[in-house]
Amino acid sequence: MNESLIVNDSSAAPGAGEGLTWPEVDSPKQNSSLEFSTAPLDFPINPWDIMLCLSGTVIACENAIVVAIIFYTPTLRTPMFVLIGSLATADLLAGMGLILNFVFQYVVSSETISLITVGFLVASFTASISSLLAITVDRYFSLYNALTYFSEKTLQYVHLMLVGTWGVSLFLGLLPVLGWNCLEEPTTCSIVRPLTRSNLTLLAVSFFCIFVLMLTLYFKICKIVCHHAHQIALQQHFFTTSHYVATKKGVSTLAIILGTFGASWLPFAIYCLVGERHYPAIYTYATLLPATYNSMINPIIYAYRNAEIQRSIYMLLCGCFQANGVYRSRSPSEV
């Protein structure tokens, strides 16, 4: 049986060398949904799978650079960069998972490998989303406890968040492999085979909880930023243009971060709750593909815009990287 991570239908899966038939518009008897066929096709590879594989390739390349830069730069060891490294690692694994899913789907026919690939992707994307939450928490504490942020206690909190993030992600990724799947009972399948409907609902609800927490924390961050700007204005007896621009830029950055995250994942999370296994597979593809774009945008928002990482890349490319270079890393509130 040749299985796909995201293509699910009430029919049987196509055999080796077979693929999805695309509905013909001119045929009145053709169903509007994507159906599996037992006949060989002129184009046996699903174009949506190609796009997911290409997305995974870009994601892996982008985040591999970030991981390498943070790993080989001794000065990038502050809590902020540790969390950015965790996010880049999770997105790197997610990109590799999308590539492996494409390869195993069309080359290797194995239910065991299919389960492992699905579990790997679940763990990777869960770690990515959880790392975003950890970065949000870190940004909040860097403003709320600005005087004590650069301390050993903060680093301990960051390590605890990392242990929790990857521990929960690994647990959720192992659930399909350990038996919580629909291979034995196809009627319990969700829009993402071989995950069960209850398993996918758990993941979707978890996402909504994380999204609400991030929304709440960024709202509090916005209030703190505006309050700090107001306090500075009172001390200087007027609100300068530079303060206004800085405050507006900070609020705009928070809006971009939340908007990007929500626009990427909300459609797929909502469809996970309302979608049924017999729905056209194209709906699953159309909502999952934008979700992968979040892992493509993350390194741009959290890494490549950072001055220290830009400097490290520049020095590395110019061949003038100095391991003993010392400079103070900015706090997350300044990013």
Side-chain angles (χ1 to χ4, degrees):
M1 179 180 291
N2 187 3
E3 297 179 355
S4 166
L5 164 64
I6 61 176
V7 176
N8 186 32
D9 196 88
S10 56
S11 309
E18 302 161 359
L20 288 171
T21 56
W22 297 90
E24 297 179 3
V25 179
D26 298 334
S27 176
K29 296 182 180 180
Q30 180 71 41
N31 192 295
S32 60
S33 64
L34 298 178
E35 297 181 353
F36 290 117
S37 173
T38 56
L41 299 177
D42 295 331
F43 190 71
I45 300 180
N46 191 332
W48 287 96
D49 289 328
I50 296 177
M51 287 188 287
L52 283 173
C53 183
L54 291 175
S55 177
T57 303
V58 175
I59 291 170
C61 292
E62 281 184 327
N63 288 280
I65 295 174
V66 177
V67 172
I69 288 295
I70 293 178
F71 183 80
Y72 287 108
T73 307
T75 52
L76 302 182
R77 295 293 184 270
T78 61
M80 175 183 66
F81 289 111
V82 171
L83 292 174
I84 292 177
S86 172
L87 174 64
T89 301
D91 287 333
L92 170 61
L93 294 176
M96 294 173 60
L98 290 173
I99 298 172
L100 291 175
N101 178 68
F102 178 83
V103 173
F104 291 147
Q105 178 182 341
Y106 290 99
V107 177
V108 182
S109 300
S110 170
E111 291 185 351
T112 302
I113 292 180
S114 175
L115 283 174
I116 294 175
T117 305
V118 171
F120 185 80
L121 284 169
V122 169
S124 301
F125 281 118
T126 301
S128 175
I129 295 174
S130 300
S131 294
L132 289 175
L133 176 61
I135 290 175
T136 306
V137 173
D138 180 61
R139 286 184 168 182
Y140 173 73
F141 281 120
S142 72
L143 289 169
Y144 188 77
N145 297 320
L147 297 178
T148 60
Y149 177 76
F150 291 99
S151 64
E152 291 295 328
K153 195 172 184 179
T154 301
L155 195 57
Q156 293 176 0
Y157 286 147
V158 168
H159 289 160
L160 287 176
M161 284 194 294
L162 289 178
V163 170
T165 292
W166 287 94
V168 172
S169 301
L170 182 61
F171 172 75
L172 293 176
L174 285 175
L175 289 179
V177 181
L178 296 178
W180 199 5
N181 57 70
C182 63
L183 294 181
E184 299 295 332
E185 298 182 27
T187 56
T188 64
C189 284
S190 65
I191 58 171
V192 182
R193 194 173 188 274
L195 297 182
T196 64
R197 180 69 187 270
S198 56
N199 191 345
L200 198 61
T201 300
L202 172 64
L203 295 175
V205 171
S206 300
F207 164 80
F208 283 113
C209 292
I210 291 176
F211 184 71
V212 171
L213 282 174
M214 289 180 62
L215 193 63
T216 303
L217 287 172
Y218 273 123
F219 177 74
K220 291 184 177 181
I221 290 174
C222 186
K223 288 180 62 177
I224 294 175
V225 170
C226 293
H227 177 71
H228 284 179
H230 181 68
Q231 291 294 103
I232 294 174
L234 289 178
Q235 291 176 2
Q236 298 182 355
H237 303 291
F238 63 94
F239 196 80
T240 64
T241 303
S242 61
H243 290 154
Y244 172 77
V245 172
T247 303
K248 184 179 179 180
K249 182 180 178 181
V251 174
S252 299
T253 301
L254 298 182
I256 292 173
I257 291 173
L258 275 178
T260 302
F261 180 64
S264 299
W265 278 104
L266 278 176
F268 181 67
I270 294 174
Y271 187 61
C272 286
L273 295 177
V274 302
E276 299 290 344
R277 65 186 182 89
H278 58 271
Y279 285 6
I282 192 172
Y283 296 159
T284 305
Y285 281 116
T287 53
L288 179 59
L289 185 61
T292 65
Y293 292 160
N294 185 68
S295 295
M296 194 183 301
I297 299 173
N298 281 340
I300 300 175
I301 294 178
Y302 294 95
Y304 293 128
R305 290 175 62 248
N306 184 274
E308 280 76 12
I309 291 182
Q310 290 177 359
R311 174 178 170 174
S312 297
I313 294 176
Y314 175 77
M315 297 178 76
L316 187 62
L317 292 178
C318 291
C320 54
F321 180 81
Q322 299 176 359
N324 296 326
V326 178
Y327 53 90
R328 187 184 71 86
S329 296
R330 298 180 298 173
S331 68
S333 60
E334 300 176 87
V335 178

